[in-house]
Structure formats: structure tokens, C-alpha cells
Amino acid sequence: MQADLIIVGAGMVGSTLALALEGCGLDIVVLDAGPLTLGPFDARGAFEPRVSALSAASQRILQRVGAWPGIAARRASPYTDMRVWDGSGTGQIHFCAAAVHAEVLGHIVENRVVQDALLEALQARGTVELIADARLDQLRESADGWLLTLADGRQLHAPLVVAADGANSAVRRLAGCETREWDYLHHAIVTSVRCAEPHRRTAWQRFTDDGPLAFLPLEREGGQHWCSIVWSATEGEAERLMALDDEAFRAALGRAFEQRLGEVLEVDPRLCIPLRQRHAKRYVRPGLALIGDAAHTIHPLAGQGVNLGLLDAAVLAEVLGAALQRGEQPGDVRVLSRFERRRMPHNLAMMAAMEGFERLFQADPLPLRWLRNAGLKGIEALPEMKALFVRQALGLSGDLPELARA
Ligand SMILES: Cc1cc2nc3c(=O)[nH]c(=O)nc-3n(C[C@H](O)[C@H](O)[C@H](O)COP(=O)(O)OP(=O)(O)OC[C@H]3O[C@@H](n4cnc5c(N)ncnc54)[C@H](O)[C@@H]3O)c2cc1C
């Protein structure tokens, strides 16, 4: 099979790119190892353990590619405030949307909801070819592009391939793209919990001695005070927490969270995910681009991974669209480099900030503890500085693609 562009991976980022490129004139194939089927959704049912805090910029992108109505029709939980504090000190900080005249800071959405809404939009348009159960197994560079061989032996060829196949990207590995990687020696435990008190549409984050613990507000028909938690801990501690029965886990979680939302009354099944930060040294080669987690995986501490990935997709679509209008070859490395130049500095800056935060909050020496408490208090006392952080969290600063602009 021959196409102009093959997107490997129909996750949140790959599917968004396919939708954003609609109407650009390219013959596009999107393939994914998964079944790409829409499941029934029950808005009163249990939450999926994997969720994302989507920024205002991401919401705009998803709106413009036609996926936001499908998300809103299923389930999205807005949050208006964010409270961050140091569990071993007195420093704390409170951000709110009202401070920058915004209605919300963002939405907590189950990954499956985003995925299904995107898939639904792709299927409704019918303009790109979706190939399910298609695991990429081999990749070979040819004179005029790339030859892809799937695990079942099928072959596809295109002058341009985009890797959107996630953190363990097969495209990145098979094409020999180098990465810088650093292991946090931390794991994240994720699940949904019901608390005794309302979350007040606030995203809460406590920095514990072991790592950050986040409670993200969830809403579902029928009320009740549900939150999605991301509890980052050392490998040994995560193993211990995973081995606890539900009652002991609820008690440990309540203590670690200082019972800010009262007792933890119920807990869904837990997932444990190893955390690793990874960054590709280059995002592009002739006829090849890496986007989303295939290009960079970042600590979930600030909930930015997919927000960065959606910006990658929007910028790449913009760069390719402009190149096609000028009659340039979309796979030309000079064209693809425009995408890299716009996205790499932003992604690196976010990763460096997260790395700095992680180290500062893991640090035990007294001067560093003092510094982080003084830092949190200092920012709390500076409304201008806080507004800057909020704009950053909304994803509304920096070089935004057209799809993310107001
Ligand atoms: C604990 C945790 C919490 C997080 N919280 C947030 C948050 O609050 N906000 C946020 O912005 N981000 C968050 N993230 C990050 C976010 O989940 C990722 O950035 C996002 O899922 C990446 O999307 P993607 O489409 O690039 O990759 P993926 O979602 O991994 O999708 C990759 C797709 O490629 C397919 N694929 C893989 N290999 C192959 C192959 N060989 N052949 C064909 N197809 C293949 C897969 O089936 C999949 O559909 C969090 C991450 C973690 C670990």
C-alpha cells in the first residue's frame, strides 16, 4: 500500500494530527497496534484510571479538530483552582482561573474519552484511512521514503512517516533516533478515589518526602466526591503501597494527603506506572518526524505530557499545510526542521522546569527545604508572578499554533 503520509499510532496525539491535516490534500494512512473500536460509554460508570489534565490550549485544539463535542458529551471535569503545598514545611501556593479572568484552568478527562472522541471524529469524516490491529515491526529507508512492515507481514510505503507511537516508540527505535533518558527511580500509582468532602473543582498537589501526590477533581452524573490520584513514590514504596489491601491503602493515602478532603472512602483498582523522562535528540530526519511521547516523555508532576504532544501535532500540521501551499515537499528535512525549531525549545524548557521541581522537592538538606518553602511563599505573595504561572498552565503563552489561539 502507498500513501503520502503514514502516521504510526492513533493515540491522542497521532489522531489529532490526522484530523488537523484534513483537507491539506495529502493521502493519509493512520495505523495502530490496537483494535480502534469505540466502546459504549456510561457517564455514571466508574472512571478510567488514566486521565489527563487538559489545558485551555489543548481544549482549543481539540475543539478545532472537532473532537471536543464528543469529549463534553461523554465526561470532562473542569477545574478552576490549584493548590500546591510542601508536606514537610509551611510553603503553599494557590492559583485560580479568576485571577486571569478565565473560567477554568483546564479539564480532567479520562484518556479513553479523548481517544474515543478523536476516533469518532476520524470515522465520521472518513477522509483518512485507519488501519487497526497493525503493529509496526520493521522500518526500512528506501530511495523515496520508508517501507513499513507490520507484524502480520503487510507492507506500506510513504515518503513521510510521523511517529506518534508513544513513549516506547517502535519508529524511533527502528529508525535509530537517539534519545537522552533519565530514570526517576519513581513509580506513579494511579486510580480514582471517593472522598468524604467535595473537591471544590480544585487540583491538589502535596509534595511528600517520597514524591508528589496529586488529587485531581472528577465529576460524574450522580455526584459524589471523586478524584483521580497520581501518587509518585520510590520503587520500593510503590511496591509496598500496591501490595496493601484497599482499606490499608485508603488509610495510607488519607494520611499522605493530610486528609485535606476528609477520609478516603472508596478506591478503584490501582495501576502502577514506572516514570522515566526521555527526550529525542532530534525530532526530524528526512521524511520522518517524531511527535508526542515518541519525541518526549515528561514527569507527570505538572500534567503536561499530552498538552505538549497536542501542540506538537498542531504545529506540525501548520508547518506541513504551509509547505504544501508553497509547493514544497512535506518530507523535505528543511520543511520538517521548521516544526522542530518551534517545538523543541518549548518542550525542553518544560522538561527542565519539571526536572528542577522534582529535584528541589526531593532534596532533604535544610537550605534546599528552606529555599522551596520560601519560594512557594514568595510566589504566593506576588500576584503578577502567579498570573504568569497560570497563563503557563493554561498553555496560553509562547509561540502558539493557529489551532491553539483564541
Ligand atoms: C501517571 C501519568 C499521568 C499523566 N498525567 C497527565 C496529565 O495530567 N496531563 C497531560 O498532559 N499528560 C499526562 N500524562 C502524559 C500523557 O499520558 C502522555 O503524554 C500521552 O498519553 C501521550 O500520548 P501519545 O498519543 O503521544 O502516545 P500514546 O498515548 O502512548 O499512544 C501511542 C499509540 O501508538 C500505538 N502504538 C504503539 N506502538 C505501536 C506500534 N509498534 N505499531 C503501531 N502502533 C503502535 C498505541 O497502540 C497507541 O495507540 C501522564 C502520564 C502518566 C504516566
Side-chain angles (χ1 to χ4, degrees):
M1 177 187 272
Q2 175 73 32
D4 296 328
L5 162 63
I6 297 174
I7 301 173
V8 183
M12 295 187 272
V13 174
S15 300
T16 299
L17 174 67
L19 285 167
L21 282 170
E22 207 204 5
C24 72
L26 290 178
D27 180 16
I28 301 171
V29 168
V30 183
L31 56 90
D32 198 283
L36 300 182
T37 46
L38 286 172
F41 187 79
D42 174 9
R44 300 179 73 91
F47 293 98
E48 288 283 319
R50 296 290 309 262
V51 306
S52 297
L54 297 177
S55 68
S58 292
Q59 183 182 353
R60 280 186 196 150
I61 294 171
L62 292 165
Q63 182 83 48
R64 297 214 166 106
V65 300
W68 192 259
I71 292 174
R74 288 176 172 84
R75 197 157 57 185
S77 312
Y79 64 102
T80 56
D81 292 65
M82 195 187 291
R83 290 185 180 272
V84 180
W85 73 101
D86 184 351
S88 58
T90 52
Q92 57 177 307
I93 191 161
H94 173 211
F95 300 109
C96 66
V100 292
H101 311 291
E103 275 178 31
V104 298
L105 288 179
H107 289 80
I108 311 297
V109 189
E110 292 144 276
N111 288 4
R112 201 197 115 203
V113 164
V114 183
Q115 195 73 69
D116 280 4
L118 286 161
L119 185 58
E120 196 172 58
L122 279 170
Q123 286 175 346
R125 310 256 181 93
T127 47
V128 303
E129 178 145 9
L130 285 168
I131 309 183
D133 302 313
R135 175 169 295 283
L136 176 73
D137 193 42
Q138 290 169 46
L139 181 70
R140 227 185 48 228
E141 206 162 0
S142 68
D144 53 355
W146 297 89
L147 180 69
L148 290 77
T149 307
L150 305 182
D152 60 11
R154 279 178 287 174
Q155 290 197 316
L156 299 94
H157 182 270
L160 175 58
V161 170
V162 175
D165 51 348
N168 297 312
S169 169
V171 176
R172 189 186 63 220
R173 176 174 44 83
L174 294 169
C177 303
E178 281 186 71
T179 55
R180 281 197 192 90
E181 310 200 5
W182 48 111
D183 204 328
Y184 282 118
L185 304 173
H186 267 70
H187 285 52
I189 298 175
V190 293
T191 185
S192 319
V193 298
R194 186 164 68 85
C195 301
E197 292 171 20
H199 48 56
R200 307 197 289 280
R201 288 192 166 173
T202 300
W204 310 76
Q205 183 133 276
R206 176 183 188 242
F207 285 91
T208 73
D209 287 341
D210 238 350
L213 166 61
F215 273 55
L216 308 171
L218 294 174
E219 285 178 20
R220 78 176 183 208
E221 285 176 25
Q224 298 179 327
H225 315 312
W226 283 89
C227 286
S228 166
I229 65 142
V230 184
W231 193 353
S232 166
T234 56
E235 193 176 345
E237 179 61 3
E239 263 171 31
R240 189 187 71 77
L241 292 170
M242 287 299 287
L244 295 178
D245 64 24
D246 281 0
E247 194 183 338
F249 181 79
R250 284 191 288 110
L253 180 62
R255 275 194 306 276
F257 193 56
E258 301 171 1
Q259 317 281 8
R260 290 262 175 141
L261 297 177
E263 227 181 298
V264 178
L265 301 173
E266 217 177 309
V267 58
D268 279 345
R270 294 159 245 164
L271 263 185
C272 187
I273 305 166
L275 297 180
R276 202 174 173 74
Q277 186 146 288
R278 190 185 282 116
H279 191 255
K281 289 185 180 170
R282 299 289 317 260
Y283 295 173
V284 300
R285 285 189 24 193
L288 183 76
L290 311 179
I291 60 173
D293 272 25
H296 44 75
T297 47
I298 175 170
H299 196 288
L301 167 62
Q304 285 301 329
V306 78
N307 291 312
L308 298 180
L310 295 179
L311 284 168
D312 289 350
V315 170
L316 182 58
E318 191 168 296
V319 164
L320 293 180
L324 285 163
Q325 278 181 1
R326 283 198 288 263
E328 295 171 309
Q329 288 299 322
D332 187 328
V333 76
R334 283 168 299 187
V335 170
L336 298 174
S337 296
R338 291 174 204 149
F339 151 72
E340 184 183 74
R341 279 200 298 277
R342 281 179 67 183
R343 290 304 302 147
M344 195 179 262
H346 182 221
N347 291 333
L348 274 174
M350 186 61 80
M351 291 179 89
M354 288 313 105
E355 178 69 6
F357 254 108
E358 165 73 12
R359 284 179 195 272
L360 187 61
F361 279 94
Q362 286 305 301
D364 216 26
L366 206 57
L368 283 179
R369 279 189 187 214
W370 179 85
L371 183 69
R372 72 188 181 218
N373 275 287
L376 286 177
K377 284 182 194 159
I379 296 170
E380 179 64 12
L382 290 172
E384 288 299 315
M385 181 79 132
K386 269 172 56 170
L388 206 76
F389 273 94
V390 175
R391 276 191 210 100
Q392 188 74 38
L394 290 168
L396 298 181
S397 48
D399 172 18
L400 289 178
E402 197 63 49
L403 285 178
R405 283 192 211 143

